[in-house]
Amino acid sequence: MKTTFPEEFFFLSLGEIQAKLRAKEFKVKELTEAWALRLERYGPKYNALAHSLRKPAMKAAKYHDKDFKRERFRSPLHGIPYGAKDLLSYAGHPTEWGAPQYKGQVFKEHAKVITKLEGVGANCIGKLGMVELAGGGGYRFPNASSTGPGLNPWDVTRWAGGSSSGSGSAMAAGLVAFALGSETWGSILTPAAYCGVTGLRPTYGLVSRSGAMALSWTMDKIGPLCRTAEDCGLVLQVIAGGDGEDPGSAGKSFYYTPQYVRPFAEMRMGWSPADLEAVADPAARQAFQDAVQVLLKLGFQVKEVELPDLPYRTVASTIIGCEMASIFEPLVADGRIQQLVDKNQAAGIVAATGYKATDYLKAMRVRRMIQDEMAKLFIGVDVLISPSRPGVATKIDEPLDRGGSPGGSARRGLKDLGAAGNLAGLPALSLPCGFAGGLPLGMSVVSRPFQENLILAVGKQYQAQTDWHKRRPALPA
Amino acid sequence: MRRRDLASLLFVGLPAPAQQTPAPVDDLTAARQRVQAASAELAKFDVAIALEPATMFKAY
């Protein structure tokens, strides 16, 4: 008899799905088919699907079923269907980076992270939509993608966030069991926050970027978007590890062991009331205040902190601009850059070729100061918390370069933690923490380099006391 | 021309005087102005001569 999966099934955690697989409630083939058809049906409604991989996934599922029949379990991800941002290569199938210039581009090899996931039996069912070229040129509207604007499953008039738009919306709508995204500056945490899912930006160098489109060699990171913090840990354990093919690789592995984190009572959590004062929407501010209260009650000693006065945004935009200009120089040289959907982004990449070598080196020198200052900040605290975004998802037709929120605070607080954290290569976890006007909000937990187990332990405890990560949007008819 | 207007012409990237309606700029001109503004901001920032650019990240 053919298994039918109820709607709530598609929102289970990886542990819950794996337990059902091992209990032989259904076959991997049935699971893969159900999820791949769901992705094909609903993915285009959110512009979340770049390419379906149902056929290769179904082929792999047959082999996984043989493993399960013999109780040869490879990992907690064995047989689990997932989606990958279309910035990651998948051998023999299109990898188009969300950009019209790369339509039909096919690579011979998988990206390293996809090979690693394949090795433990996870099954890639689709490539997920993204902002063209990961948005480094500075796009004006969310429609800067060859698959169209990433639509938010909580409200399709709103943006899913970028640049890992499809990864965020596919997770929110239960179209994949987990997704891979990438972040150079905000591209995992933003869609995670806007779509109400849990997103992990790993420490720079922990996950290989071999086979991924480069936007900024010294800033790019690959990480998971999942239902829970625990799921993020399970995925990171597989995709982390040294890689000689990635010059930025730190050569480190990761084992998900949140149980060995020091007691929270022995550690300090840093936060800033100025971050909440900067939130313009009263409903969002209240939700963030409630989330902060839950986090502060996890047992940490609490300390108010603020970032040192440094030009985080200018340094980040200069480094990304210079590296991006070098990477996409051939597109500028032959004029193909003008094929980008968003003309502001094309202009941004062309203009970035005008940076001087001394600008780049100065930015990298100031970056060293930022890294040193962040190290000093983390002498006094073990984790920092701050809203992932200062509000809910923006409207799909709203310009993204319109400027900051009107409710800004004069105090710095941790408002530039996004730029600072990416410049210093710090890990961050965005947790769903409430709603405002029916749209999700996210709170970030940030720590020292390679302290993923600590932020995941915080996330796990937070999610044990809240149910925001279990909420799900209604799907379209 | 007032001294303030002249200053905004010399330091590309400074906002135009508030009382004037800014002339429309195309995307590329605006993007180039942002690059020049970033370059000017970095140039103003003092760093120690011995400070080397960031390269690798360490655990701490």
Side-chain angles (χ1 to χ4, degrees), chain B residues 18-35:
Chain B
Q19 67 271 32
Q20 285 185 350
T21 304
V25 287
D26 63 26
D27 289 344
L28 185 56
T29 306
R32 283 187 170 138
Q33 285 173 349
R34 285 195 294 274
V35 167

Side-chain angles (χ1 to χ4, degrees), chain A residues 37-379:
Chain A
L37 289 174
R38 184 178 168 90
L39 178 61
E40 286 178 358
R41 179 179 176 193
Y42 294 111
K45 293 184 190 292
Y46 305 117
N47 297 325
L49 180 61
H51 306 285
S52 174
L53 294 170
R54 179 158 57 95
K55 282 185 182 173
M58 289 302 293
K59 196 174 169 186
K62 284 184 196 169
Y63 294 101
H64 297 319
D65 273 326
K66 287 180 185 170
D67 283 341
F68 274 91
K69 193 175 177 184
R70 294 171 193 155
E71 301 201 336
R72 204 165 55 190
F73 306 128
R74 288 198 231 168
S75 79
L77 307 185
H78 196 173
I80 304 279
Y82 75 96
K85 184 175 182 177
D86 198 28
L87 158 145
L88 298 162
S89 65
Y90 189 99
H93 290 264
T95 299
E96 299 177 338
W97 303 344
Q101 293 93 327
Y102 294 101
K103 190 168 175 55
Q105 174 177 246
V106 175
F107 292 92
K108 288 180 182 169
E109 292 181 355
H110 286 344
K112 180 68 79 174
V113 286
I114 290 180
T115 301
K116 284 189 161 204
L117 285 165
E118 195 174 77
V120 299
N123 211 349
C124 190
I125 58 171
K127 303 294 287 298
L128 304 174
M130 60 181 280
V131 173
E132 54 188 355
L133 305 183
Y139 44 107
R140 181 165 293 148
F141 290 102
N143 70 352
S145 172
S146 55
T147 50
L151 305 182
N152 195 312
W154 291 93
D155 176 353
V156 291
T157 69
R158 300 276 176 161
W159 188 32
S163 65
S164 306
S165 318
S167 305
S169 54
M171 267 315 296
L175 310 184
V176 290
F178 69 91
L180 293 180
S182 73
E183 172 154 334
T184 305
W185 181 4
S187 290
I188 288 175
L189 300 192
T190 301
Y194 282 178
C195 293
V197 302
T198 309
L200 174 66
R201 177 188 80 208
T203 304
Y204 176 84
L206 185 57
V207 178
S208 169
R209 301 153 312 161
S210 170
M213 185 206 88
L215 172 63
S216 170
W217 302 293
T218 68
M219 302 269 288
D220 293 341
K221 282 86 59 184
I222 293 168
L225 291 94
C226 299
R227 194 69 53 212
T228 65
E230 172 126 329
D231 287 359
C232 285
L234 295 174
V235 176
L236 183 63
Q237 179 163 290
V238 174
I239 63 175
D243 180 14
E245 290 174 22
D246 178 355
S249 175
K252 285 177 181 281
S253 299
F254 172 77
Y255 299 97
Y256 178 54
T257 51
Q259 66 272 32
Y260 298 128
V261 164
R262 278 194 297 145
F264 290 167
E266 294 177 9
M267 291 189 275
R268 282 196 183 140
M269 178 176 276
W271 77 296
S272 171
D275 294 356
L276 304 187
E277 292 163 16
V279 176
D281 177 5
R285 196 182 314 133
Q286 184 60 52
F288 284 131
Q289 276 170 352
D290 294 345
V292 166
Q293 290 309 312
V294 175
L295 283 161
L296 295 184
K297 284 178 187 166
L298 292 180
F300 287 92
Q301 299 163 51
V302 179
K303 187 179 178 184
E304 286 189 21
V305 292
E306 73 172 7
L307 291 178
D309 186 15
L310 289 165
Y312 304 99
R313 289 167 180 268
T314 301
V315 171
S317 60
T318 301
I319 292 167
I320 294 169
C322 292
E323 297 182 7
M324 167 191 75
S326 177
I327 290 162
F328 297 114
E329 192 180 13
L331 292 187
V332 176
D334 65 15
R336 280 185 297 150
I337 200 75
Q338 299 306 332
Q339 293 171 19
L340 286 176
V341 177
D342 191 294
K343 297 308 166 201
N344 200 52
Q345 163 130 267
I349 296 173
V350 172
T353 61
Y355 276 113
K356 301 188 293 285
T358 47
D359 294 334
Y360 181 67
L361 289 167
K362 185 72 171 281
M364 289 298 267
R365 293 174 76 197
V366 180
R367 183 183 195 177
R368 167 64 62 87
M369 294 171 69
I370 290 169
Q371 289 168 349
D372 291 346
E373 289 298 325
M374 293 307 288
K376 282 182 201 162
L377 187 63
F378 276 108
I379 291 171

